[in-house]
Amino acid sequence: MGEETQTKTETKTEAPKQEPKSTLQIDVSDLEKEIKRPTALRSIIKIVDTSLNLAYAARASDIHLDPEEKALRMRFRIDGVLHDVYKFPKELSSEIITRIKVQSGLRTDEHQAAQDGRMRFKGEMDGKFVDVRVAIAPTYYGENCVMRLLADHSQNFDLVKLGFSELNLQRVRKAMSKPYGMILTTGPTGSGKTTTLYMILKELNKPEISIVTIEDPIEYSLPGVDQIQVNKRTGLEFATGLRSILRQDPNIVMVGEIRDGETASIAVNAAMTGHLVLSTLHTNDSAVTIPRLLDLGVEPFLIASTINIAIGQRLVRTICEDCKVKRVFSAAELEALTTTVPKEMLADNKVFYKGEGCERCSGSGYKGRVGIHEVMEIDEKIRELIMKRATADEIRKASVASGMKTMLEDGVEKAIKGLTTLEEVLRVFHE
């Protein structure tokens, strides 16, 4: 018996420390109250409106409604992470989806095809109108629905608040000061590329400068900027729209995304002929931008002579300031970290921070997000490598040798400063 107890104690001591998993706490009592009313008195309109307002109050970017065998699951994406919020009774599923279709101007009699729409609601919290992009598709258990809340928070941001370090900010502003060339932001979907471009445009926007954008979709309204929405039904794509824009005598052009060779070619030629062109590319980091443009058929000498900078970025959740506590790593934990984070990045830092979870952050320990960046300047060495059609790895090494701070380094620095956690930085990279 004594030996048995001792073994148990030893096992407990050796078990690795794990970060407590915090669950999101959202008050759904108003929603439940409405759902539990007698069928004749229950209002589907109120159920949908309450759900939208819950998401808006929780700072959610998306609402996911997923049909299951016995329920309709609602999840909110908050700070880039999906959280379960509520399960509606299955019998309400079609009524909720139909109500959303009516609000979005979609066909209510179509259940076997994907449909996209848009609607608007008024936030109870602040009385502001919020645009919502709606995507509905048929699934095994019925139609699902994803709603993107396009709440305009752009007025509260600038490049500093987006998380650019002093060095990166200098490089970005140097590129912005040039009258022509290209500024590219790269990263996966949802990494904040378009927001970065908006903040650059916000700084460049002056009465004497003409700025025109072509976007899909227009996420936020920028006063003083002519914003054009892509419309596939009328043949207004990025390439055709960009051609039209260049006939309107702009100084600065923003193309929502370079998706194909035609758009890439027109954008590069625009940058060659005296325009400052801003756009996004779907690549993993800044160095991969060059091989990606080569793949799209752009000539190496055009890439070398037009790109000013390529910004690679990700978004990491920031620690909630109301429940932030110190976290000291043991020597063993730091040793384990060196398998993913180079030892020189961690230096001798043992003290990091985490959020314990409180009412203000709905128990998650995180509130808000900040960018981690790498800004690759196209200098003479990089131009030579582009002309030789060098690999992304060779370009990355040359950029680091020229003083570029990688995204991982930027993320670890932000964890050391207590803005985010090391776990969050690594989670974003593993994703």
Side-chain angles (χ1 to χ4, degrees), residues 201 204-206 209-213 224-226 250-253:
L201 289 181
L204 291 169
N205 192 8
K206 292 180 179 71
I209 289 174
S210 167
I211 303 175
V212 188
T213 75
V225 175
D226 290 326
N251 299 100
I252 299 166
V253 176

Side-chain angles (χ1 to χ4, degrees), residues 68-133:
E68 297 176 345
E69 189 179 3
K70 294 176 182 176
L72 177 71
R73 180 164 70 140
M74 180 166 73
R75 292 181 293 169
F76 292 168
R77 188 179 292 282
I78 300 168
D79 296 332
V81 178
L82 274 170
H83 300 272
D84 277 318
V85 175
Y86 194 71
K87 285 199 175 186
F88 295 100
K90 186 68 176 176
E91 63 268 20
L92 293 180
S93 183
S94 63
E95 290 183 72
I96 289 169
I97 300 295
T98 301
R99 171 60 189 161
I100 292 166
K101 282 181 178 180
V102 169
Q103 283 181 284
S104 314
L106 302 177
R107 286 183 58 179
T108 55
D109 60 341
E110 178 58 76
H111 304 288
Q112 299 305 317
Q115 297 190 72
D116 295 326
R118 208 173 171 112
M119 66 171 170
R120 181 178 252 216
F121 76 95
K122 193 175 184 180
E124 288 175 1
M125 187 173 65
D126 53 16
K128 287 182 182 175
F129 283 98
V130 182
D131 284 321
V132 182
R133 204 165 80 229

Side-chain angles (χ1 to χ4, degrees), residues 328-339:
V328 182
F329 279 91
S330 66
E333 283 174 320
L334 284 170
E335 193 60 41
L337 268 173
T338 56
T339 56

